Amino acid sequence: MKNKFYVTTPIYYVNDVPHIGHTYTTVAADILARFHRLLGDKTFFLTGTDEHGAKVAEAAKEHKKDPQTYCDEVAPRFEKAWKLLNIEFDHFIRTTMPEHEKLVQDFIQRVYDKGYIYKGNYEGLYCVGCEKFLTESDLVDGKCPLHPNKLPVKQSEQNYFFKLSAFEKELIEKIGKDEIKVAPPERKNEILGKLKLGLSDISISRAEVSWGIPIPWDKKQTIYVWFDALLNYYTATKIWNKEEFWAADLHLVGKDILWFHSVIWPAMLLAVGEKPPKEIFAHGYFTINGQKMSKSLGNVISPEELVEKFGTDGARYLLFTDIPFGLDGDVSWEKFKERYNSDLANSLGNTVQRIAKLCEQNDIIIENKITPYTPFSSELGGFKNHLENLHFELALEEIKKDLKSLEGEIEQNKPWSKSKNDVTPFLKKSAQKIKNIAYALQPFMPQTSEKILKIFSGKVKTPEKPLFPRIV
Ligand code: MSP
């Protein structure tokens, strides 16, 4: 029987433009989706945009647009950026899709009918940046540490509450046993530690925010944007007839939104008797040259800039080669450039060029047999295992090691100094090795992989242009 693999990215707020943070999660999901497709798994990859709530309504107002027009104008920016990066998502969900809105209403009604929603009074400090109420312990100098330039506002209103506290024990048990796997392990411990301090119920409706989905039994209130947004993972399976993919196998998220995904989201599902997600993996945060990325500092790196400088595959590679996926990491244009030149221009690009040239000079013909996706289990050692565990950097390390040993063999063998007859077996073997590397690289660098496989199929011809021109 084939395995199934349902992977998601967070849905991105439309009030921001796509940046390297969004790109990171989305390319990671794409690498995994491509990897699973190659393994023959039935794969569903979902991404999209988060379009309701006070933050988006405010941004629309600033642009003198009604919120829907604003969303319709800005949501395609994400789709465009993902196309540029060669992201092969299956569906792109927008939370303003009428089908999603209707399904969210049906879902909240089910939670209400099960008795997990009640009306109460809420008083607190609300951060529009985070779209959530903050507790005293969240504040630093009375401000939200993530949005110090947006003072939290006091809000007091009659809201509907979700009985999150009712799921405390079940969540501790399920997360503890990895039935809901929270990864990497440090994050699991963090979440378990927080859960053990006790869970409070949360407000899941807003009387003051009109840009949202109305509560079906009380149209004066709208559904809290996070409750609406988290449900995208579920509603998408209904909208596009992908129910067989439920429950999600992997939600990729940034560490800042792990609580929502590993606690609130599973509780919402458990409340109505739906299966919770199997795994939530939180990646780290990028800083740029040691600084937090921010519009005001002007250091935001966009996917367009990355692709312009390093090409689609270069950009995809550079995001995953140095920083372990679960950890924070610092990036800079300088570091990207160095890495690009050493790994892609010099090592991979040069080796391909060199072997191709030698093959061409010696009229080598490489059999065009379809090689099954086996390098994972043979030459490339732990590659498959590393990818399965989301250790992208270690998987790439295996490839680098293989490339280095191939380069060493060429130096040692000196094929340029030998006769055609003597050199043919060596060159054929080398070409097969570089093809194996190309197979393995498919999820990371699909276009490059295809190019290499083409060069070494049939009569070898040296590419006119290097795969990765050096950047000075
Ligand atoms: N709309 C919510 C998610 C709802 S999912 C049901 C949201 N959107 S977001 O656009 O603000 O952020 C999306 C993702 O980008 C998060 O996973 C966040 O961690 C990630 N990043 C934002 N800045 C980042 C970095 N500087 N580095 C790495 N990822 C970061 O939250």
Side-chain angles (χ1 to χ4, degrees), residues 31-52:
I31 292 170
L32 294 171
R34 286 176 184 271
F35 170 60
H36 280 270
R37 284 187 207 115
L38 286 165
L39 292 177
D41 295 343
K42 278 188 94 175
T43 302
F44 178 30
F45 168 16
L46 179 74
T47 187
T49 40
D50 191 352
E51 305 187 1
H52 288 127

Side-chain angles (χ1 to χ4, degrees), residues 403-434:
L403 260 174
K404 279 272 163 290
S405 80
L406 183 54
E407 285 167 49
E409 284 165 26
I410 298 174
E411 281 308 314
Q412 215 183 11
N413 200 283
K414 302 191 183 8
W416 52 86
S417 64
K418 293 187 176 158
S419 73
K420 188 174 162 180
N421 267 354
D422 284 349
V423 86
T424 298
F426 175 78
L427 287 180
K428 281 196 167 173
K429 220 167 104 203
S430 303
Q432 193 51 49
K433 281 190 179 167
I434 199 85

Side-chain angles (χ1 to χ4, degrees), residues 10-13 19 21-22 50 226 233 254 256-257 283 285-286:
I11 47 171
Y12 305 111
Y13 285 128
H19 57 60
H22 309 125
D50 191 352
W226 266 100
Y233 306 129
D256 54 325
I257 55 173
H283 65 71
Y285 248 54
F286 282 134

Side-chain angles (χ1 to χ4, degrees), residues 7-34:
V7 61
T8 69
T9 73
I11 47 171
Y12 305 111
Y13 285 128
V14 278
N15 61 312
D16 205 354
V17 288
H19 57 60
I20 191 173
H22 309 125
T23 310
Y24 195 37
T25 336
T26 314
V27 177
D30 189 57
I31 292 170
L32 294 171
R34 286 176 184 271

